[in-house]
Amino acid sequence: MSAGRGIIPDPIARQPWGMLIPLFMLVAFGAAVLYSAGGGGWDPYASQHVIRFVVFLIMASIIASLPRDFVKLMTYPAYVVVLIMLFAVELMGALRGGSQRWLDLGFMVLQPSELMKPVIVVTLAHFYAALPVGLIGGWRALLVPAVFIGMPVGLVLLQPDLGTSLAIAFGGAVVMLLAGLPLRWFIGGGVAAAALAPVVFFFGLQEYQQRRVLTMFNPEADALGAGYHITQSKIAIGSGGIFGKGFNNGSQSHLQYLPEPQTDFVFATMAEEWGLIGGLFVLAVFSIILRWGLKVARDSRDRFSALLAGGMVAVIFFYVAVNLLMVMGMAPVVGIPLPFMSHGGSSMLTNMICIGALMMVNSWNRKAPRGGLTS
């Protein structure tokens, strides 16, 4: 224990409290919003939200203590296990809401596609850390990761789950970009994706997914049908004004006009009761968490750690960005919950794995010798 830390034990003092305290505040705020979404009671949403966070916080603490060599050793086996679980979903997955995305393990119902989001990041980070820098511009640097990403994305699209497949692809693409692949490859990929977009829309998306995309541009055209979710979300957010209607006084969620007020549209539930001030608080906390994650990536002393941290930040950012765009009608409704606020175990599990991984890299950074970036 150092003199500067006084009576605070060293294991407690060295925790990243600059990130953890805002995170605790966000989870507590989310519990308050879920309390209201549940009709003014801890059950069925708020109590489970808090319990899950505490359980997954313990899990994140365990992840944070893992040594680098052990993580590298388990990376590829973890990828294979999750990929097998995705195959198992196709063979015997549980059906919910018309989609086959879950495995019933008896003691819990697990969505393996959620696990693939952080797993693909650590897998590609390990691959590029082991790849000689001189080969970054070669075919191997592109083809092998494309296979790593393409297999789970294809399986998730079969469930069907467009939002999660995009999240897996986004996390993998960010790691590839950070690894130093030529920028022209990404520009070329973007141009090719834009050219293929009409083909994918008409022949790759199911009818309900096509409606979601079209509804984004003009939800009022079918305000009681395909555009109902976005229309009600906009009403909830707009009616909150600057300071909101007050805690537990939201009408859109309480009168059940707002669909899924506890999951995908929890931000709209919050904005109605807490207004612009509440929205700015949520954005500020996410900015603090993401900025801390980027600092962890910048401070990393080896390639594996830097790519791992950068990819985990990308996963959390994707959740936040897509959900906020979705509830404001600027992106299709793809079922992406808001991290640390929405009710749901799979989302909380994924994002706390990302937090645990960032805490783990932060711990590695403190122990690493100062110097240049290594593999």
Side-chain angles (χ1 to χ4, degrees), residues 58-266:
I58 296 172
M59 175 201 68
S61 301
I62 295 173
I63 292 174
S65 66
L66 297 177
R68 183 188 290 101
D69 291 341
F70 177 78
V71 174
K72 288 183 175 182
L73 178 66
M74 298 304 298
T75 292
Y76 290 141
Y79 176 85
V80 172
V81 168
V82 178
L83 195 65
I84 291 173
M85 293 171 69
L86 287 175
F87 275 111
V89 168
E90 295 303 313
L91 297 176
M92 55 182 181
L95 283 170
R96 290 186 175 185
S99 299
Q100 188 170 333
R101 305 174 183 174
W102 295 268
L103 282 179
D104 190 346
L105 304 178
F107 62 94
M108 69 175 293
V109 177
L110 180 65
Q111 188 175 351
S113 57
E114 286 289 331
L115 292 176
M116 184 54 77
K117 295 174 186 177
V119 167
I120 194 66
V121 167
V122 68
T123 300
L124 294 188
H126 186 20
F127 172 80
Y128 283 117
L131 188 69
V133 176
L135 298 180
I136 288 295
W139 63 269
R140 187 185 303 174
L142 178 63
L143 183 59
V144 175
V147 173
F148 276 135
I149 297 172
M151 288 192 294
V153 165
L155 290 170
V156 173
L157 284 173
L158 292 175
Q159 295 180 359
D161 190 348
L162 178 61
T164 299
S165 63
L166 290 175
I168 294 171
F170 180 80
V174 168
V175 175
M176 295 170 74
L177 179 64
L178 295 176
L181 268 68
L183 187 59
R184 65 179 183 275
W185 290 1
F186 294 93
I187 296 175
V191 172
L196 290 173
V199 177
V200 173
F201 178 81
F202 288 107
F203 301 103
L205 298 184
Q206 298 194 19
E207 184 179 351
Y208 78 93
Q209 294 172 326
Q210 294 175 348
R211 286 199 303 269
R212 287 179 178 179
V213 174
L214 295 175
T215 299
M216 176 185 69
F217 298 104
N218 187 16
E220 290 77 14
D222 190 11
L224 297 179
Y228 184 79
H229 291 70
I230 295 177
T231 300
Q232 295 301 321
S233 178
K234 287 181 176 180
I235 292 173
I237 293 173
S239 64
I242 302 296
F243 299 103
K245 296 178 179 178
F247 175 59
N248 209 27
N249 288 325
S251 57
Q252 290 297 107
S253 58
H254 287 187
L255 297 177
Q256 299 183 351
Y257 288 113
L258 182 65
E260 305 295 336
Q262 77 283 4
T263 54
D264 296 351
F265 292 91
V266 72

Side-chain angles (χ1 to χ4, degrees), residues 282-343:
V282 172
L283 291 177
V285 173
F286 277 124
S287 296
I288 292 171
I289 294 172
L290 293 173
R291 183 182 179 186
W292 172 79
L294 290 175
K295 183 178 184 302
V296 170
R298 287 196 304 268
D299 291 345
S300 297
R301 311 318 303 171
D302 66 277
R303 190 172 181 79
F304 176 64
S305 301
L307 295 176
L308 174 57
M312 294 301 175
V313 172
V315 172
I316 299 175
F317 171 79
F318 184 90
Y319 269 98
V320 176
V322 173
N323 180 270
L324 296 183
L325 290 172
M326 182 181 72
V327 299
M328 291 185 287
M330 301 171 67
V333 178
V334 291
I336 298 291
L338 187 63
F340 314 118
M341 290 191 67
S342 290
H343 172 73

